[in-house]
Amino acid sequence: MILQQYKIVFGGTMGSGKSTAIRALSEIEVVGSEAVNTDAQAHVKSHTTVGIEYGEITLSDGIKVGLYGTPGQDRFDFIWSVICQGAIGSIVLIDHQVENPLEDLAHYLSAFRNTNQNIVIGITHVDKKIERPTLIYREWLEQQNINYPLFFIDARLQDDVLLLVEAMVANTEVNFT
């Protein structure tokens, strides 16, 4: 494994699909730091990321990009800015089925905007809470005067996650070159 010149960071809530998204895209075996979840109150899952996860993807022009995953728990927020250093951008994933996803979105956008303005938002698990309208995200972003690309995705599907990466690269080319 070679640390890549380019990197994209996946951040967001515990259980939002960061590890799954990286595994869906990575061309190498993902290097992870999963441990037994001791915070079942925050999310019911057996394992969770407690450090950095790393995968790689090669873009159509041959450029290799490192895919870095952050832990979702706030107790690890000290490492988020370290992981984001030098990234071309961050993909923030939010779990639609949690009690207050807009609060989570506000929290993670605030944290990740401190290190990089190139952010793409992915909302996951929409199928698990279909009674909650997805329009709430667009309305909230508009009320906050925030204009980041927003997608509703299944983190298990490579094409869905690739859409986030393509939006990140396009946003980089349009706004940051």
Side-chain angles (χ1 to χ4, degrees), residues 131-163:
E131 67 276 9
R132 178 180 286 150
T134 56
L135 187 58
I136 62 171
Y137 301 102
R138 293 195 195 284
E139 289 174 344
W140 183 86
L141 288 168
E142 187 175 293
Q143 289 169 358
Q144 306 302 314
N145 200 27
I146 296 172
N147 190 23
Y148 293 132
L150 171 70
F151 299 93
F152 301 96
I153 65 136
D154 183 332
R156 299 168 296 185
L157 300 178
Q158 184 180 43
D159 286 345
D160 282 14
V161 183
L162 194 53
L163 178 64

Side-chain angles (χ1 to χ4, degrees), residues 38-70:
T38 59
D39 191 6
Q41 192 172 22
H43 200 284
V44 180
K45 60 187 246 179
S46 62
H47 288 79
T48 188
T49 302
V50 295
I52 300 172
E53 290 190 314
Y54 179 81
E56 289 180 0
I57 186 172
T58 305
L59 300 180
S60 59
D61 57 5
I63 293 175
K64 284 196 181 285
V65 177
L67 308 170
Y68 292 77
T70 64

Side-chain angles (χ1 to χ4, degrees), residues 63-163:
I63 293 175
K64 284 196 181 285
V65 177
L67 308 170
Y68 292 77
T70 64
Q73 306 93 320
D74 283 342
R75 68 179 182 229
F76 297 115
D77 66 355
F78 65 91
I79 200 167
W80 297 347
S81 62
V82 174
I83 296 170
C84 287
Q85 288 178 0
I88 62 172
S90 300
I91 294 173
V92 173
L93 297 180
I94 300 296
D95 184 346
H96 180 70
Q97 68 181 337
V98 299
E99 186 174 327
N100 193 342
L102 292 178
E103 186 177 291
D104 288 342
L105 180 58
H107 174 69
Y108 285 91
L109 286 182
S110 175
F112 282 85
R113 283 190 345 207
N114 287 332
T115 57
N116 193 315
Q117 288 295 308
N118 192 15
I119 294 175
V120 173
I121 302 164
I123 308 297
T124 62
H125 304 300
V126 174
D127 60 323
K128 303 218 171 138
K129 189 97 173 179
I130 57 173
E131 67 276 9
R132 178 180 286 150
T134 56
L135 187 58
I136 62 171
Y137 301 102
R138 293 195 195 284
E139 289 174 344
W140 183 86
L141 288 168
E142 187 175 293
Q143 289 169 358
Q144 306 302 314
N145 200 27
I146 296 172
N147 190 23
Y148 293 132
L150 171 70
F151 299 93
F152 301 96
I153 65 136
D154 183 332
R156 299 168 296 185
L157 300 178
Q158 184 180 43
D159 286 345
D160 282 14
V161 183
L162 194 53
L163 178 64

